[in-house]
Amino acid sequence: MFSLSIVPEATQRALASSALQPIETQTTLLDDDDVRFVVRAVSSLARKDKVRHAAVATDPVGDYDPDLFVADLAPSHYILLNKFPLLGGHVLLVSRRFERRELLLTVEDFAALITCLSQVDGLGFYNGGAEAGASQLRKHLQLVPLPLARDSPDEVPMERVLDGGARLTFMHAFALVAPQPTAIVLHALYRELLHRCGIFSVATAEGELQSAPYNLLVRRSWMLVVPRWRACFESIPVNALGFAGSLFVRSQKELERVRAVGPMQVLRAVAMPQDRARNDQ
């Protein structure tokens, strides 16, 4: 039976072979709108950009380095280490059959995620499209263990405002998750949240495509969808973890820019404005 307990062993093997790039970070906590954001200066972001731009048309999570392989997760999915991990224990839940990142998630995707969340108290997330922070062509979910930072007072900083806290001023849809949900139940909830955000399926020969880019975050107890309209705030990329309260920058200069404008403004700048979303529906 698959177990995430093998991830540390796989990590050591990948570090020894240099398949996994070491994480080099400087962590800063920034308070903004009742959230204590975790902002990390991550040197590996620059290396990731260099590799990505040199291999735009490749499929590195399909044609992967064997030393990044962790295990077969199900007939439909396998697990890889993230070559450029944002956090320790960061893994990818990869669809075995090639599916474009613009295709909507399936029941099988949620079954793979449930298998992992049943073993570790983690945060699953998905970058639905290039404008949502996706860097690979092949559809894949991602999972990081919690807390997002050891020195943070919250396992997921944004939880303070997701349910009954300060009002978020960008388009989003949030829902609590019943204990021990099935993949079918989670998939139905995901489709409901997309619908609430004005994102629908577009039927094609390949399958159901998303009508707009978005980020998805899933914990054992909740789910969040955030529509996106741009990938970056100025030079700073934002993926789904930004909406968990965890931002990543390449340099001290970018860190100071986030400090100056405030992390919540960074999110507002890349998320779909509420008034625009209403007008487009």
Side-chain angles (χ1 to χ4, degrees):
M1 179 179 176
F2 166 75
S3 172
L4 281 173
S5 63
I6 65 176
V7 170
E9 178 183 343
T11 298
Q12 291 305 311
R13 180 192 68 228
L15 284 171
S17 69
S18 298
L20 190 69
Q21 299 296 311
I23 304 169
E24 303 161 29
T25 66
Q26 172 192 339
T27 300
T28 301
L29 300 180
L30 297 179
D31 291 321
D32 192 14
D33 282 0
D34 298 326
V35 177
R36 178 157 292 181
F37 283 85
V38 179
V39 184
R40 288 184 173 88
V42 186
S43 63
S44 61
L45 278 182
R47 295 200 304 273
K48 178 179 178 179
D49 288 344
K50 183 177 180 179
V51 170
R52 183 178 65 189
H53 294 154
V56 174
T58 63
D59 180 21
V61 296
D63 184 20
Y64 54 83
D65 185 326
D67 284 330
L68 296 176
F69 181 78
V70 177
D72 290 314
L73 180 56
S76 58
H77 290 75
Y78 53 87
I79 292 189
L80 298 179
L81 298 172
N82 189 339
K83 182 177 181 66
F84 298 98
L86 298 176
L87 300 165
H90 184 175
V91 296
L92 312 180
L93 286 56
V94 185
S95 176
R96 195 176 301 278
R97 179 170 63 91
F98 180 85
E99 296 178 346
R100 288 170 51 192
R101 63 194 177 194
E102 293 84 8
L103 286 170
L104 291 176
L105 296 176
T106 64
V107 172
E108 290 75 19
D109 290 318
F110 282 97
L113 182 57
I114 285 175
T115 297
C116 293
L117 289 176
S118 68
Q119 297 186 28
V120 62
D121 184 13
L123 180 67
F125 64 97
Y126 182 66
N127 301 317
E131 296 89 347
S135 61
Q136 304 297 334
L137 298 176
R138 180 184 293 253
K139 184 177 73 172
H140 62 283
L141 286 154
Q142 304 187 55
L143 180 75
V144 291
L146 296 176
L148 293 178
R150 290 185 204 171
D151 46 356
S152 172
D154 305 297
E155 290 186 322
V156 179
M158 195 68 83
E159 281 184 332
R160 290 189 181 192
V161 297
L162 288 179
D163 187 26
R167 184 174 179 269
L168 296 178
T169 56
F170 49 81
M171 188 65 178
H172 68 284
F174 172 80
L176 297 176
V177 173
Q180 298 183 322
T182 65
I184 292 174
V185 168
L186 273 191
H187 181 256
L189 181 59
Y190 154 74
R191 295 295 290 261
E192 175 190 332
L193 296 188
L194 288 179
H195 187 271
R196 283 166 49 185
C197 289
I199 299 174
F200 304 97
S201 65
V202 179
T204 71
E206 295 179 82
E208 292 184 291
L209 290 178
Q210 64 195 35
S211 63
Y214 67 95
N215 290 126
L216 171 73
L217 295 102
V218 184
R219 198 172 176 187
R220 289 173 178 173
S221 58
W222 55 262
M223 183 183 295
L224 173 71
V225 167
V226 181
R228 295 286 299 274
W229 75 290
R230 62 172 58 163
C232 300
F233 168 75
E234 298 176 358
S235 63
I236 301 167
V238 179
N239 72 0
L241 287 179
F243 298 95
S246 181
L247 292 168
F248 300 85
V249 299
R250 299 181 184 88
S251 64
Q252 187 67 29
K253 180 179 179 180
E254 289 186 346
L255 172 61
E256 292 308 316
R257 181 59 179 150
V258 173
R259 191 194 304 274
V261 301
M264 198 65 81
Q265 178 56 33
V266 171
L267 300 185
R268 294 188 191 104
V270 300
M272 185 70 72
Q274 288 180 323
D275 55 350
R276 178 172 175 177
R278 284 196 297 269
N279 293 335
D280 288 346
Q281 289 183 30

